mmCIF file of all heavy atoms in Angstrom:
data_model
loop_
_atom_site.group_PDB
_atom_site.id
_atom_site.type_symbol
_atom_site.label_atom_id
_atom_site.label_comp_id
_atom_site.label_asym_id
_atom_site.label_seq_id
_atom_site.Cartn_x
_atom_site.Cartn_y
_atom_site.Cartn_z
ATOM 1 N N VAL O 368 -10.670 -20.575 -2.841
ATOM 2 C CA VAL O 368 -11.114 -21.895 -2.809
ATOM 3 C C VAL O 368 -11.899 -22.246 -1.598
ATOM 4 O O VAL O 368 -11.332 -22.088 -0.476
ATOM 5 C CB VAL O 368 -9.916 -22.919 -2.964
ATOM 6 C CG1 VAL O 368 -10.358 -24.322 -2.986
ATOM 7 C CG2 VAL O 368 -9.039 -22.502 -4.225
ATOM 8 N N ILE O 369 -13.119 -22.697 -1.735
ATOM 9 C CA ILE O 369 -13.998 -23.027 -0.559
ATOM 10 C C ILE O 369 -13.886 -24.483 -0.283
ATOM 11 O O ILE O 369 -14.078 -25.334 -1.150
ATOM 12 C CB ILE O 369 -15.482 -22.602 -0.909
ATOM 13 C CG1 ILE O 369 -15.620 -21.181 -1.062
ATOM 14 C CG2 ILE O 369 -16.354 -23.045 0.282
ATOM 15 C CD1 ILE O 369 -16.882 -20.759 -1.696
ATOM 16 N N GLN O 370 -13.623 -24.864 0.909
ATOM 17 C CA GLN O 370 -13.608 -26.366 1.270
ATOM 18 C C GLN O 370 -14.439 -26.608 2.444
ATOM 19 O O GLN O 370 -14.450 -25.988 3.566
ATOM 20 C CB GLN O 370 -12.078 -26.658 1.647
ATOM 21 C CG GLN O 370 -12.005 -28.110 2.068
ATOM 22 C CD GLN O 370 -10.594 -28.576 2.312
ATOM 23 O OE1 GLN O 370 -9.712 -28.374 1.396
ATOM 24 N NE2 GLN O 370 -10.202 -29.143 3.409
ATOM 25 N N ASP O 371 -15.376 -27.565 2.290
ATOM 26 C CA ASP O 371 -16.280 -28.051 3.307
ATOM 27 C C ASP O 371 -15.433 -28.857 4.335
ATOM 28 O O ASP O 371 -14.694 -29.845 3.997
ATOM 29 C CB ASP O 371 -17.324 -28.975 2.712
ATOM 30 C CG ASP O 371 -18.444 -29.312 3.740
ATOM 31 O OD1 ASP O 371 -18.072 -29.747 4.760
ATOM 32 O OD2 ASP O 371 -19.628 -29.155 3.362
ATOM 33 N N ARG O 372 -15.467 -28.449 5.604
ATOM 34 C CA ARG O 372 -14.614 -29.142 6.586
ATOM 35 C C ARG O 372 -14.977 -30.538 6.908
ATOM 36 O O ARG O 372 -14.136 -31.354 7.339
ATOM 37 C CB ARG O 372 -14.606 -28.223 7.900
ATOM 38 C CG ARG O 372 -13.873 -26.958 7.770
ATOM 39 C CD ARG O 372 -13.945 -26.184 9.037
ATOM 40 N NE ARG O 372 -13.372 -26.833 10.123
ATOM 41 C CZ ARG O 372 -13.371 -26.455 11.491
ATOM 42 N NH1 ARG O 372 -13.968 -25.252 11.755
ATOM 43 N NH2 ARG O 372 -12.765 -27.179 12.422
ATOM 44 N N LYS O 373 -16.264 -30.861 6.558
ATOM 45 C CA LYS O 373 -16.662 -32.277 6.814
ATOM 46 C C LYS O 373 -16.417 -33.237 5.612
ATOM 47 O O LYS O 373 -15.935 -34.267 5.790
ATOM 48 C CB LYS O 373 -18.192 -32.294 7.171
ATOM 49 C CG LYS O 373 -18.515 -31.561 8.504
ATOM 50 C CD LYS O 373 -19.985 -31.631 8.823
ATOM 51 C CE LYS O 373 -20.267 -30.917 10.120
ATOM 52 N NZ LYS O 373 -21.759 -30.924 10.398
ATOM 53 N N THR O 374 -16.740 -32.744 4.487
ATOM 54 C CA THR O 374 -16.699 -33.576 3.283
ATOM 55 C C THR O 374 -15.389 -33.424 2.464
ATOM 56 O O THR O 374 -15.022 -34.149 1.604
ATOM 57 C CB THR O 374 -17.888 -33.355 2.328
ATOM 58 O OG1 THR O 374 -17.745 -31.944 1.790
ATOM 59 C CG2 THR O 374 -19.230 -33.427 3.026
ATOM 60 N N GLN O 375 -14.675 -32.280 2.802
ATOM 61 C CA GLN O 375 -13.412 -31.870 2.083
ATOM 62 C C GLN O 375 -13.714 -31.474 0.662
ATOM 63 O O GLN O 375 -12.734 -31.248 -0.155
ATOM 64 C CB GLN O 375 -12.412 -33.002 2.169
ATOM 65 C CG GLN O 375 -12.121 -33.579 3.480
ATOM 66 C CD GLN O 375 -11.608 -32.475 4.509
ATOM 67 O OE1 GLN O 375 -10.729 -31.682 4.181
ATOM 68 N NE2 GLN O 375 -12.214 -32.353 5.611
ATOM 69 N N LYS O 376 -14.973 -31.392 0.245
ATOM 70 C CA LYS O 376 -15.290 -30.892 -1.099
ATOM 71 C C LYS O 376 -14.807 -29.498 -1.370
ATOM 72 O O LYS O 376 -15.003 -28.664 -0.503
ATOM 73 C CB LYS O 376 -16.806 -31.060 -1.401
ATOM 74 C CG LYS O 376 -17.219 -30.594 -2.719
ATOM 75 C CD LYS O 376 -18.773 -30.722 -2.898
ATOM 76 C CE LYS O 376 -19.225 -30.175 -4.272
ATOM 77 N NZ LYS O 376 -20.656 -30.188 -4.409
ATOM 78 N N LYS O 377 -14.287 -29.222 -2.603
ATOM 79 C CA LYS O 377 -13.756 -27.839 -2.872
ATOM 80 C C LYS O 377 -14.428 -27.296 -4.075
ATOM 81 O O LYS O 377 -14.947 -27.894 -4.910
ATOM 82 C CB LYS O 377 -12.278 -28.009 -3.240
ATOM 83 C CG LYS O 377 -11.328 -28.353 -2.081
ATOM 84 C CD LYS O 377 -9.923 -28.323 -2.533
ATOM 85 C CE LYS O 377 -8.980 -28.586 -1.270
ATOM 86 N NZ LYS O 377 -7.525 -28.541 -1.712
#
Side-chain angles (χ1 to χ4, degrees):
V368 183
I369 300 168
Q370 179 173 306
D371 189 309
R372 289 179 59 185
K373 294 179 182 178
T374 67
Q375 307 305 308
K376 180 182 176 182
K377 291 185 178 181

